[in-house]
Amino acid sequence: MNLTSDSGTSWTVRATDGPVPEQFSAALAAPIVATVPGEVHTDLLAAGLIPDPFDGANEGQLHWIGRTNWQYRTEFDWEPDGHTVQEIVAEGLDTAATVTLNGTEIAKTWNQHRAYRFDVTALLVAGRNELVIEFAGPADTADRLAEQLGLWPHTNLHPYNAIRKMASNFGWDWGPDVATVGVWKPIRIESWTGVRIDSVRPLAGLDGDNGVLDAKVALAWADGFTADATITVEAGGTTTEVTVAAGTEEAGVSATIDAVDRWWPRGHGEQPLYDVTVSLNAGEQTDGWTGRVGFRTITMDVAPDEHGGPFVLSVNGKPVFVRGANWIPDDAFVTRLDRSTYERSIADAVDAEMNLLRVWGGGIYETDDFYDVCDELGVLVWQDFLFACAAYSEDEPLRSEVEAEARQAVTRLSRHASLAVWNGNNENIWGYVEWGWRQPLGGRTWGEGYYFDLLPKIVAELDPRTPYSQGSPYSYDHFVHPNDERNGTMHVWDVWNQVDYSTYRKYKPRFVSEFGFQGPPAWSTLTSVVHDQPLDPYGEQMLVHQKAFEGNLKLERGLGDHLPMWKDIDDWHWTTQLNQARAVAYGIEYWRSLFPLNTGTIVWQLNDNWPVISWAAVDGHGHRKPLWFALKHAYADRLLTVQPREDELVVAGHNDTDEVWSTSITVARRSTSAGGAVLAQETFALEVPARAAVLNSLPESITKAGEATTEYIEVRGGDGSAAYWYFVEDAALQLTGDAYTTEVSAVDGGYDVTVTATALAKDLALFPDRLDAAAKVDSCLITLSAGESHTFHVTGASAPAEVGVPVLRSANDLVT
């Protein structure tokens, strides 16, 4: 029996205690309509009782919600149906909850990341029943638990590490502090007799060309039920059956499927998925389960080599160069997410040529929709356990909660073909080593036992086919600094926080699992929530939407010698977006040129959870920032770049495909001025083997500039690939102000803007959302040499008469 709102069950919510402001107290003393699954913030919004927390400075005015206690209540009719066991199944309660049925308390919970079953056989009555769930204010609950359990070091304002709740819900350096409560996942009554399927772990692997399915079926038995049970597993046209004795807690059913089609990550092959059906029969009692699997193997190589220690993920024995992004919850109010929102956001990753998403440890274990879409699209998933940037007690009662949630998460997610890594934590090992935790901890536990003992044991027991990593970053050796560039995974955060992005070239990391640079969201996104008059980088509402410490000051400092200071707010917006895109591409392109020493990058971050200035490539309204387009180029299957190597310049080609890359390369030193005169030119053949990289030295005739401020290097491949090198930064580069002409033409569904260069036009970008927030553009950061043209295609809007600054921008109009 479904108890969710969409099944017809009516819920209400009201404030029961807490710092409710006077203007809300009367309205919230009485129940208002609630939605289940849902969250109190979205219920209050739907009732029109609070303003949008994302707008203006509203976020800070609504912090009282997270310090208020809330009561969710429903009444429902139930009639006995002949079954002997009745259970309330709550898939997610956020977070500190007291559950009461018909006046009797049945449970207290304090873990958002777990599902619960409550036996209510003796409490349900025929006819009308009342279910009440009291939620304690999460901010006060975290404070209280921290006082009771002891304060463990953490980042940000609240002691989120004292409670098993989404850490970023308390605010992060890109997210709002909107600590919420609610029945955030489905809730229902399950009625059964005798025996039922509790869970299924269908672990799919390979034995040569054949698929091997090792299905682990956990069973729950009613007291006194003595019939044996038959379990039947169907997959890939193969049916396997076993009989188990009454009381058996777990049954293993193994099957071999001949000549299966292997599942591959995108860029390496197809993603065939096989339906799996599990049936249970015990006398007259039946139960069933369905799911999908993909047959593949995944390994992680961190064995020491001559350079230190690598980090290599291999699928079906084939190494995968990772082109990835970190993933945060896609909305600060996660119950607003559904299959369609996941499809749209994961498409942002796929369209940017990514093959991996890392589900970061300060968020949630995502819904099955997320992993299903990744299975279908061939996007590998690196899954953090939910520990981030803090020390965690290993004492009771937290330890039992950690174990219970980890077991549930591994059991639920282990079937997914896309699941590539289980990762113990985000930055906590690094934090213990370097962030000054040891003195305040005073010898207390801090999470080490989770990352090095409990979690790897759970993974080995429940999902042995998936590699486990102790943390990120980590060097896979207790005696090596966890963030050592020569070993394992590395986070590069001195860039952005302290030093210029040119520092990226000082590192030769084996694998980068976090790095990034900030920039503002689309203009339409920013101005929909920031209303400062005049608009200013340091305005009150602007800074509400900048959560990083000294974030806008770092945007300013981050320009360095690369770009000049802005003249107005329009230039600020374009300059900082451009600098973000360039910084991240600078790092990726250099590290790709180090292949095979470097085996991948995971940029921070793909998405935002509200409209904010952040590291994201796609903003909170779904607009792809210039960074996204830079990533699409830097993550291309075949990448051509110009890179410095000691005292020379080289053309670096990285071919991440299964085919040899052969093309003719023309390299020219050209003038930036009108006409773009070719000052020197060379041609050579480029041949890059499959899944390989090559370096080609450039001759002095190309690399020695006559006048550095008016010349640049252009590299053109016969296959359309291109790369550029500049002898000086843009602040010193002589660019022509009127370097291009434009033509606007209406087309079906939108319009085209064709730009033709008369001189070097650097990093052309069209921002149609400044005219219509619904408009989208297909390309960005286009560099044209004199005589070249490019057409921007815009969808979702009508054609304007003309475009110019600030809709059409380039680096030229920043420096001229």
Side-chain angles (χ1 to χ4, degrees), residues 372-637:
D372 286 342
V373 174
C374 288
D375 288 346
E376 294 161 12
L377 298 180
V379 177
L380 296 171
V381 175
W382 166 318
Q383 177 67 57
D384 279 13
F385 287 99
L386 302 184
F387 304 92
C389 303
Y392 291 81
S393 168
E394 296 173 39
D395 300 329
E396 295 296 349
L398 197 65
R399 181 183 175 87
S400 292
E401 289 295 331
V402 167
E403 179 170 3
E405 84 175 49
R407 286 185 171 278
Q408 284 190 6
V410 176
T411 295
R412 177 170 69 92
L413 302 183
S414 58
R415 70 174 175 87
H416 287 282
S418 56
L419 183 62
V421 176
W422 286 104
N423 181 61
N425 71 87
N426 176 74
E427 298 189 342
N428 296 348
I429 303 171
W430 185 16
Y432 181 76
V433 169
E434 201 169 83
W435 296 358
W437 291 358
R438 283 175 287 180
Q439 182 178 5
L441 282 170
R444 293 178 296 164
T445 58
W446 55 274
E448 180 182 21
Y450 297 146
Y451 318 136
F452 292 91
D453 182 36
L454 178 64
L455 296 176
K457 284 180 178 177
I458 290 174
V459 172
E461 174 192 347
L462 301 179
D463 188 17
R465 68 175 197 147
T466 303
Y468 174 82
S469 168
Q470 288 84 351
S472 180
Y474 191 57
S475 293
Y476 304 96
D477 190 312
H478 257 4
F479 299 98
V480 178
H481 190 287
N483 202 37
D484 178 53
E485 66 177 303
R486 297 163 297 181
N487 294 277
T489 59
M490 184 183 190
H491 291 192
V492 182
W493 283 119
D494 55 352
V495 174
W496 170 251
N497 282 315
Q498 291 109 21
V499 298
D500 186 77
Y501 70 71
S502 60
T503 302
Y504 283 139
R505 285 192 183 142
K506 295 181 180 179
Y507 292 115
K508 294 183 178 179
R510 307 306 301 272
F511 188 97
V512 185
S513 46
E514 274 193 28
F515 74 107
F517 206 90
Q518 272 203 354
W523 182 265
S524 61
T525 301
L526 185 68
T527 55
S528 71
V529 294
V530 174
H531 315 292
D532 298 321
Q533 292 295 330
L535 204 61
D536 183 86
Y538 299 97
E540 177 189 4
Q541 293 186 16
M542 185 77 80
L543 293 180
V544 169
H545 292 83
Q546 166 58 278
K547 295 300 184 182
F549 175 69
E550 296 185 342
N552 282 5
L553 182 61
K554 289 176 182 177
L555 285 178
E556 184 175 335
R557 293 202 307 258
L559 297 182
D561 295 328
H562 307 293
L563 288 164
M565 270 292 293
W566 52 82
K567 299 182 288 291
D568 55 32
I569 191 65
D570 292 309
D571 276 3
W572 170 83
H573 185 262
W574 164 228
T575 302
T576 51
Q577 280 201 332
L578 176 60
N579 205 46
Q580 177 190 32
R582 287 186 178 176
V584 173
Y586 184 101
I588 293 174
E589 292 181 4
Y590 177 67
W591 293 329
R592 282 190 72 171
S593 78
L594 301 177
F595 180 84
L597 181 75
N598 174 270
T599 54
T601 53
I602 308 178
V603 68
W604 188 272
Q605 65 214 60
L606 176 66
N607 55 330
D608 269 330
N609 71 348
W610 74 313
V612 66
I613 303 164
S614 82
W615 295 267
V618 182
D619 74 23
H621 286 180
H623 286 283
R624 294 171 171 179
K625 294 158 65 171
L627 170 60
W628 183 90
F629 293 93
L631 288 170
K632 181 176 177 64
H633 171 79
Y635 275 160
D637 290 346

Side-chain angles (χ1 to χ4, degrees), residues 26 88 173 181 183 259 300 333 392 415 423 467 489 534 582 614 629 660 684 778:
I88 289 179
D173 58 7
V181 303
V183 184
M300 183 177 77
F333 303 118
Y392 291 81
R415 70 174 175 87
N423 181 61
T489 59
R582 287 186 178 176
S614 82
F629 293 93
V660 174
F684 61 90
D778 69 334

